[in-house]
Amino acid sequence: MDADGLLAVCIQHEMDHLEGKLFVDYLSELKRQLIRRRLEKERKQRSTGRDTHASGHGMATSGAPTPGNSRPAL
């Protein structure tokens, strides 16, 4: 089969699924290590109950607005 553009990308994506390949399989070892470190850091923060994305933005760790803050959570 010959395909171009978005159709070619979609077909390759589905072929990768059939062959058991993941997006990260195409990344360099350095990028994989950076992603692993970031995920590990976020996992540790969640296990200790800290949420770095919410802190300092008027949001409680549950994601609910703090009193006096009517901004919607993004």
Side-chain angles (χ1 to χ4, degrees):
M1 174 181 225
D2 235 2
D4 292 323
L6 184 58
L7 178 59
V9 173
C10 292
I11 292 170
Q12 183 62 56
H13 174 80
E14 295 307 322
M15 291 300 297
D16 286 347
H17 279 303
L18 293 171
E19 295 174 4
K21 292 183 183 177
L22 302 174
F23 172 76
V24 294
D25 294 336
Y26 292 102
L27 298 176
S28 69
E29 186 59 32
L30 176 62
K31 287 184 181 182
R32 263 186 259 162
Q33 288 174 358
L34 292 172
I35 290 170
R36 274 192 206 110
R37 285 186 201 130
R38 186 178 303 153
L39 290 173
E40 182 65 23
K41 181 179 176 183
E42 289 177 12
R43 186 182 64 78
K44 285 180 183 179
Q45 289 171 343
R46 278 194 310 273
S47 70
T48 61
R50 292 183 296 159
D51 185 356
T52 58
H53 295 294
S55 64
H57 296 288
M59 301 297 288
T61 56
S62 66
T66 55
N69 184 356
S70 60
R71 280 190 328 173
L74 300 176

